[in-house]
Amino acid sequence: MTTSPFTADDATEDELADYYGLVLADARAERPDDPEPTYDSVIGRLRTPFTALGRCVHTAAYVDGTLVGLISAGLPEDENVEQAILDVKVHPEHRRRGIGTALLGAVLPTLVSARRTLVAGWGLIDGKSGAGWADHLGFRVVYRQVLQRLEVATTDRELWHVPPPPGYRAVRWVGTAPAALLESYAQARSAIHDMPSADWSYRPPSWTPERIRRAEADLRDRSVEQRVVAAVHEESGAAVGLTELEFYPHRPEFGYQQETAVLAAHRGHGLGRFIKAHMMNWVVEERPGTTHVWTTTADDNEHMRRVNKQIGYTTVRVTINVELETDALRI
Ligand SMILES: CC(C)(COP(=O)(O)OP(=O)(O)OC[C@H]1O[C@@H](n2cnc3c(N)ncnc32)[C@H](O)[C@@H]1OP(=O)(O)O)[C@@H](O)C(=O)NCCC(=O)NCCS
């Protein structure tokens, strides 16, 4: 077995096919009820990783010239710069031979030189291989979340007929927040810091108008479409809540929920449900090819879970996030 740095752009067709084969085999073995990943979505995700991961570096493992494993390390660059978020996959036929651990060892010098003192794994499934492996390596569980899915075709659209709560209206945009709302939108987004996050070290951005413009530019650079619905308080003209979806170029039929937040002073009026319902009406109107919207929320975030249920989301599974100090890794 050998390891070497890997990028999608430099990889051969065979390497990309091997990688797709391993992701598909893993999905079939561990998440058989999920829609199967397509080749384009798997390779596209290497080129356009999820926003929260930041820049990603990859190392591949080979046995007899075949790519059988890949580790990706997300290196956030604005906040959470002390963290590396790892995703390791080994082909099911090559597991329990030390390849996952060897990949972790291979990427370690990069993590150390990038001053990543904390390593994390997100979305592991209790009782499945990743959780067992992480436990063996000494990772601790820091957060439990539910993965929820909205199946657009089968959801009763009556659930999305939610009138604006009195005194509020919806304002929506793709990619660039209107200048007149930018200041209040940044304040409303900061309410995301109120979400329950147990012992998870990951911190959402400290939103300012400047930070929002930078995030918008980053999404544009990566060809990620961001749709935002804000709740505007009629009396003050301020944005007091928002919900945000991202659509990635390689998986245009999926929407990925990002932040949903309502300022504390405006909670309890049904704004969360209103803006999420408004978002779904807008999505089916302008992106009729959308088949699923995916979201995660803390398993103890009762309010968000209730809102999601009202909109038609169902819970797919409970997952865990794990963390360990880099210098405590036992490899
Ligand atoms: C997690 C994964 C990368 C491990 O790869 P691997 O090459 O099989 O791991 P290793 O051989 O290095 O395992 C080292 C030790 O971890 C533990 N371990 C690995 N898989 C395990 C499992 N399914 N159940 C319990 N413990 C496990 C064992 O202690 C193992 O040592 P042993 O085989 O001598 O008992 C692989 O199972 C995988 O691709 N899973 C799906 C993707 C995933 O969940 N990735 C983790 C997200 S970060």
Side-chain angles (χ1 to χ4, degrees), residues 26 88-90 95-101 129-130 132-133 136:
D26 172 58
V88 198
K89 280 190 177 61
V90 174
R95 290 186 185 165
R96 308 301 289 260
R97 294 175 202 167
I99 295 176
T101 308
S129 57
W133 181 73
H136 164 80

Side-chain angles (χ1 to χ4, degrees), residues 102-295:
L103 281 168
L104 189 52
V107 84
L108 200 50
T110 306
L111 307 187
V112 171
S113 68
R115 297 200 184 82
R116 306 292 158 153
T117 52
L118 190 77
V119 282
W122 293 354
L124 280 60
I125 309 171
D126 248 341
K128 299 278 186 180
S129 57
W133 181 73
D135 183 52
H136 164 80
L137 286 162
F139 280 83
R140 58 187 177 275
V141 176
V142 291
Y143 183 65
R144 282 180 190 276
Q145 63 195 344
V146 286
L147 173 69
Q148 298 184 305
R149 174 170 76 193
L150 185 71
E151 287 201 39
V152 175
T154 56
T155 301
D156 176 4
R157 295 191 181 182
E158 276 302 308
L159 297 177
W160 307 336
H161 285 151
V162 181
Y168 298 91
R169 68 189 151 90
V171 174
R172 66 198 195 187
W173 61 85
V174 181
T176 308
L181 283 180
L182 187 57
E183 187 81 41
S184 60
Y185 171 53
Q187 278 167 21
R189 282 193 89 166
S190 297
I192 196 69
H193 290 269
D194 297 345
M195 75 174 192
S197 54
D199 297 321
W200 193 17
S201 305
Y202 190 84
R203 296 170 305 281
S206 298
W207 292 112
T208 61
E210 183 275 333
R211 180 74 183 85
I212 283 176
R213 288 296 188 231
R214 201 145 39 88
E216 290 172 344
D218 172 66
L219 291 169
R220 272 195 300 278
D221 284 351
R222 298 189 301 121
S223 304
V224 178
E225 181 184 285
Q226 179 206 42
R227 286 179 181 260
V228 178
V229 176
V232 170
H233 182 226
E234 300 277 17
E235 198 183 309
S236 60
V240 298
L242 68 296
T243 191
E244 177 198 6
L245 285 192
E246 287 182 356
F247 290 88
Y248 284 73
H250 54 268
R251 197 99 212 219
E253 72 279 22
F254 284 3
Y256 293 96
Q257 178 73 53
Q258 306 295 303
E259 295 177 357
T260 298
V262 174
L263 281 177
H266 297 269
R267 291 182 193 151
H269 301 302
L271 286 176
R273 183 176 172 202
F274 166 60
I275 52 183
K276 282 201 134 183
H278 190 102
M279 175 69 86
M280 287 316 301
N281 289 319
W282 187 28
V283 164
V284 293
E285 188 187 314
E286 290 197 1
R287 296 193 60 113
T290 307
T291 61
H292 297 82
V293 180
W294 300 85
T295 189

Side-chain angles (χ1 to χ4, degrees), residues 310-325:
Q310 289 167 337
I311 301 298
Y313 283 85
T314 54
T315 295
V316 179
R317 67 181 74 95
V318 178
T319 66
I320 54 175
N321 290 359
V322 298
E323 293 180 355
L324 182 64
E325 286 63 38

